[in-house]
Amino acid sequence: YSMTFSLAMLSFSPLPEVTVNYRYGLPVVTLTLPTRGERCQFTIKPMAVTVGAFLQDVQREDKGIEKAEVFARDGSKVSDATLMEVVLMNDFKLVINSKMYSVSSPKKGKLSSEHATEMEDIKSLVHRLFVAIHIEDHQVRKERELLQKLEYLKEQLLPLEQMKDRIADSADAKTSRLLWVGLALMSTQGGALAWLTWWVYSWDIMEPVTYFITYGSAMAFYAYFVLTKQDYIYPHAKDRQFLHYFYRKSKSQRFNVQQYNKLKEDLAEAEESLRRLRQPLQLRLPIQQINDKD
């Protein structure tokens, strides 16, 4: 309803300024430029020109055109990504500024099935030739963009990497000291229990003490599982303590971990894109046979 209302605000008087005819097998749209009042022809290349590209060419030709749109016969707006070849299959409406032009597409004669198949093959061949001609320029441009992006990301990561290394060294040193302190405490505990068992008291007295110490250690490990939802495995516990020291040091040093991770992900994605771009299949190069190493 809103689209119908917006179209009703425009001038519906069919104007003959826009015509479509075929020349050398290509559709040619001829229209009168509103500002210059001159007739201008636009040749539509099959499988290459979209509605957006056609409207941009029209606006580029006449700087006084502020608005240009294409509508189907039912009043629905045609997307800019639609090929003009599809639009020209039926009548359509061309809106320039505040005027609407009813455009009648010329009906082409019906082709035989063999001729139609031949035309489709020709169109496919033209499309492949176009891609083959422009693929090298596209890949060079894409590679240049990826290299510039990689250089920019590396420049952004350099100071963060240096700060991250300093924080990681500090956290690793604290974690190592904590491990050595734990070993020292366990050695001291074992020596104290041995001294109390053989020199101060007897085993009958120390046996309940060692039992409760063992039971208390089991409770501590169970509490670790309740808090972390992980078993108390020494390498995992070491990594967890390292991360604790790392994030605490990062907060004090104002090191943005989220920004660092985002830059690392972008860098890995750009490197993967560059690697895929340089593959032999993408560059249309023969694939070299990989010899087995001894």
Side-chain angles (χ1 to χ4, degrees), residues 190-227:
L193 291 176
W195 179 70
L196 291 174
T197 300
W198 281 294
W199 281 277
V200 179
Y201 304 109
S202 63
W203 174 247
D204 295 336
I205 297 176
M206 294 302 300
E207 183 178 9
V209 176
T210 57
Y211 169 78
F212 284 108
I213 290 176
T214 304
Y215 186 76
S217 300
M219 290 182 61
F221 294 149
Y222 184 76
Y224 178 87
F225 171 77
V226 171
L227 294 176

Side-chain angles (χ1 to χ4, degrees), residues 21-28 44 46 108 119:
N21 52 22
Y22 282 86
R23 183 175 301 172
Y24 304 109
L26 298 177
V28 178
I44 307 300
K108 300 175 66 176
M119 290 299 295

